[in-house]
Amino acid sequence: STADGAGITIQDAVDSSNDATILWDATNDQFNFSHDIVLPDNKDVHFGAGSDMILHHNGTDSFIQNFNGDLKLIQYADDKDILFQCDDGSGGTETYINIDGSAHATKFLINTFFQDGVKAIFGNDSDANIRELNGDLIIEHATDDKDIIFKGDDGSGGTTTYLRIDGGDEIMKAGKNLRFNDNVKGTFGTSDDLQIYHDGSNSYIDETGTG
């Protein structure tokens, strides 16, 4: 088409009553496809001058491949979400992760498994992390002179500190009474040399080791 502003239409010659399959819209400088675009297996869709992004299906799996810059998935609709859905194990699908635009939060709706040695990291400088090292569960706070604080309901509509692991003073501080039930011992010393407990009838301070 050499006419200024004219478009080009590719249409089914047998059934011309159908809408155009491909329309070059010269006014808006774009292609309009009115039917599906089908590519066979192992044929790609390339984006960018250097094929920086490729969409690919190999007959078994599908791939979104990016070779330059960040790969961004952006939702511009106000108060709408990005949903990551997968098989629910019962012939349907369900949402695993909901990036909730109205709540301004990321919601994990299915259990999240961290494999051995993989950390859940918190803070801009990785100040805190939770990790499991082949058996042990480690809750670690790496910021100098800061605390790990365990809070709970204060019975009056707020919260209060029950236990503080004080990094500055290098001590554990109980903010509320600590109850040992009957026959549960408070032990002191590497070999539990000193034991304090109540058996339901009597109270005991037992020196069972050295000294």
Side-chain angles (χ1 to χ4, degrees), residues 77-125:
D78 289 344
D79 296 330
K80 297 301 180 181
D81 305 343
I82 297 175
L83 305 178
F84 292 86
Q85 298 184 339
C86 194
D87 175 55
D88 64 358
S90 301
T93 60
E94 62 181 316
T95 300
Y96 282 60
I97 301 174
N98 177 8
I99 302 176
D100 192 321
S102 58
H104 199 228
T106 300
K107 300 176 181 178
F108 294 86
L109 307 179
I110 298 293
N111 291 335
T112 301
F113 291 90
F114 293 82
Q115 302 298 320
D116 291 345
V118 177
K119 302 178 182 179
I121 299 176
F122 305 87
N124 292 341
D125 298 317

Side-chain angles (χ1 to χ4, degrees), residues 117-151:
V118 177
K119 302 178 182 179
I121 299 176
F122 305 87
N124 292 341
D125 298 317
S126 302
D127 300 315
N129 67 78
I130 301 173
R131 55 185 168 144
E132 189 273 333
L133 293 176
N134 197 25
D136 295 328
L137 175 63
I138 298 175
I139 300 174
E140 181 179 349
H141 189 11
T143 304
D144 290 345
D145 298 328
K146 297 301 181 181
D147 305 343
I148 297 176
I149 301 171
F150 294 87
K151 287 187 174 184

